[in-house]
Amino acid sequence: MSVNKVILLGFLGKDPELKYTGSGATVCRFSLATNETFKNKAGEPQKRTEWHSIVAWGKLAEICGEYLVKSRQVYIEGSIRTGKWTDRDGNERKSYDIVARYMQMLSPSANGNAAKSKTESAKPARRAGASEAAVQPSEEDNPFEAEDSVPF
């Protein structure tokens, strides 16, 4: 048995990018910042920000693209996906994305329309995580599927 589960609570670094694959699948990408506070050896408080690359597919991607904006706080559940690629110089590189399976909006949208976002945020979040099929990409649509990975 194995588990690949990530839980993040953070803030969007920029507005999401909504795109469509050649076969028409919806994909949404955005960056999420999480903060950690700790004390260094001298006992002084320090803050570390970690940036995460988030990708959502299907209906969840549509919801993220419509409702998420820069600086909005969100809760994400998903899994880590490793992508392998070769850069211009021929070096093999890896990238790590969090494939979102569930998203919950926690703060009002940055556009100032708090009443609208509060009302609408509950509905999309429940729908977004309700069906795995709604957010699971096909092998053809998933550009992160490594040759040596095991399908779900």
Side-chain angles (χ1 to χ4, degrees), residues 84-96:
K84 295 179 184 178
W85 49 280
T86 305
D87 67 14
R88 288 185 231 178
D89 300 327
N91 300 316
E92 191 150 312
R93 311 287 265 171
K94 285 186 178 183
S95 61
Y96 300 93

Side-chain angles (χ1 to χ4, degrees), residues 1-5:
M1 182 172 151
S2 64
V3 175
N4 180 359
K5 185 168 185 167

Side-chain angles (χ1 to χ4, degrees), residues 26-147:
T26 309
V27 60
C28 184
R29 294 184 152 281
F30 55 94
S31 59
L32 190 74
T34 56
N35 297 313
E36 175 185 6
T37 304
F38 60 96
K39 291 186 179 182
N40 64 14
K41 291 180 182 180
E44 301 165 333
Q46 301 289 308
K47 184 176 174 182
R48 178 181 305 138
T49 300
E50 188 72 36
W51 287 95
H52 309 275
S53 175
I54 312 294
V55 62
W57 292 88
K59 185 66 177 171
L60 181 58
E62 293 173 16
I63 292 167
C64 289
E66 184 175 347
Y67 293 104
L68 297 182
V69 292
K70 179 181 178 177
S71 301
R72 185 152 200 187
Q73 187 178 32
V74 295
Y75 171 89
I76 298 286
E77 286 184 20
S79 58
I80 298 173
R81 183 70 52 91
T82 306
K84 295 179 184 178
W85 49 280
T86 305
D87 67 14
R88 288 185 231 178
D89 300 327
N91 300 316
E92 191 150 312
R93 311 287 265 171
K94 285 186 178 183
S95 61
Y96 300 93
D97 290 314
I98 306 303
V99 178
R101 304 274 189 250
Y102 176 84
M103 178 272 300
Q104 174 70 49
M105 295 171 266
L106 299 176
S107 63
S109 64
N111 67 7
N113 194 348
K116 179 181 175 187
S117 68
K118 219 179 215 182
T119 304
E120 294 177 346
S121 67
K123 291 179 186 175
R126 271 191 238 105
R127 280 196 332 240
S131 171
E132 194 69 23
V135 296
Q136 180 65 38
S138 70
E139 286 185 27
E140 179 182 299
D141 292 330
N142 189 349
F144 306 106
E145 192 69 37
E147 293 175 355

